[in-house]
Amino acid sequence: MKPDISKLEQKINYTFNNKNLLLRALSHSSYVNENGTECKGSNERLEFLGDSVLGFITAENFFKNYTKLPEGELTKLRAAVVCEKSLAGFAREIDLGNFLLLGKGEIVTGGKERPSILADAFEALIAAIYLDGGIESAKTFVLKYIDEAIRKHQSFKDYKTMLQEIVQKNPGELIEYVLVGETGPDHDKRFEVEVHLNSNVVGRGIGKSKKKAEQEAAKEALELMGL
């Protein structure tokens, strides 16, 4: 039995012009294998596209909004918020599993709750929205989940921004990051940075890049402040 896709459209706050795109996004390969004559294909190709659309939207968002984070930290953050666990969680928020078209075997073995199936279907849904309504519609859909995931990602902190915000509360105080050392060969360098508050050293950090070392120095400064 086909799912009531109007209920899913309500949950995602998007109405498809081409309902077949949504049905395709919901069609697992196991269902297509059992009902080939009724289907135009599984969601695997849409999942492939959705992965790229999700990657672009996430990367653009981070590039614009986390201007002080080095590339390495941006990569870690992106990996954390668009991993299979996160995507499966997003899928559960809209009850996506109950709208999926699965083969009998997958249904019996709990496919509607399997993280890999949910994550792939969520990416397929992103692609379907992108193809139906364009990149802005896809962004509207994706970013609310990305922003939520960032808030939940407790391990991510922009220590330099946090330190700057604290210092700015006291006019006249000045924060400066000073490179005090470099070690190792060119392909595996380590940088040591001090953070100075009004010429006083309040933190030190070591990292594979200057920006990483600055983050570590700011982190130590915040810890010394009891934050």
Side-chain angles (χ1 to χ4, degrees):
M1 187 174 70
K2 294 289 178 66
D4 184 353
I5 59 175
S6 64
K7 290 183 178 179
L8 179 57
E9 289 176 322
Q10 290 173 12
K11 286 178 178 289
I12 65 176
N13 197 30
Y14 180 81
T15 301
F16 278 81
N17 296 303
N18 183 352
K19 308 296 183 184
N20 287 329
L21 272 173
L22 178 53
L23 285 171
R24 179 77 171 267
L26 299 173
S27 298
H28 187 256
S29 58
S30 62
Y31 178 84
V32 175
N33 290 338
E34 292 180 12
N35 303 273
T37 57
E38 300 176 19
C39 305
K40 293 185 178 179
S42 74
N43 62 8
E44 291 178 349
R45 284 175 59 83
L46 284 176
E47 182 255 322
F48 167 78
L49 176 60
D51 178 68
S52 294
V53 174
L54 174 63
F56 167 72
I57 292 172
T58 304
E60 182 188 51
N61 177 261
F62 290 174
F63 183 79
K64 288 181 177 178
N65 295 311
Y66 299 97
T67 57
K68 296 181 181 179
L69 278 186
E71 179 269 341
E73 291 299 311
L74 291 174
T75 299
K76 286 185 201 173
L77 179 60
R78 182 174 61 183
V81 300
V82 300
C83 64
E84 181 181 288
K85 181 180 179 180
S86 293
L87 296 178
F90 303 157
R92 290 189 183 99
E93 288 184 36
I94 57 176
D95 199 23
L96 188 59
N98 283 327
F99 293 95
L100 294 180
L101 293 165
L102 301 172
K104 294 175 183 177
E106 285 292 351
I107 293 173
V108 170
T109 56
K112 289 186 177 183
E113 283 298 321
R114 188 168 300 133
S116 60
I117 289 178
L118 290 174
D120 289 350
F122 191 81
E123 289 183 325
L125 180 58
I126 291 170
I129 293 172
Y130 166 70
L131 292 172
D132 189 73
I135 191 64
E136 291 306 319
S137 294
K139 283 182 182 179
T140 299
F141 175 68
V142 166
L143 289 179
K144 64 181 179 180
Y145 294 101
I146 296 302
D147 291 342
E148 174 189 322
I150 291 172
R151 287 194 295 270
K152 290 180 178 178
H153 185 53
Q154 298 297 321
S155 64
F156 164 68
K157 290 179 181 175
D158 183 352
Y159 297 108
K160 285 184 66 178
T161 297
M162 291 170 65
L163 182 60
Q164 188 66 37
E165 288 173 349
I166 291 169
V167 171
Q168 286 175 345
K169 294 177 182 178
N170 300 295
E173 293 196 336
L174 178 66
I175 281 285
E176 183 182 10
Y177 292 88
V178 179
L179 178 66
V180 295
E182 294 182 29
T183 58
D186 287 343
H187 69 277
D188 191 26
K189 273 192 176 297
R190 292 292 187 277
F191 298 87
E192 183 177 0
V193 167
E194 292 179 347
V195 57
H196 295 186
L197 176 61
N198 300 329
S199 300
N200 298 311
V201 178
V202 292
R204 290 185 176 85
I206 296 174
K208 290 186 177 182
S209 69
K210 293 177 185 177
K211 290 182 178 179
K212 177 64 176 176
E214 289 172 357
Q215 285 284 341
E216 292 299 316
K219 179 182 179 182
E220 184 175 279
L222 289 166
E223 289 171 351
L224 289 172
M225 294 177 184
L227 300 172

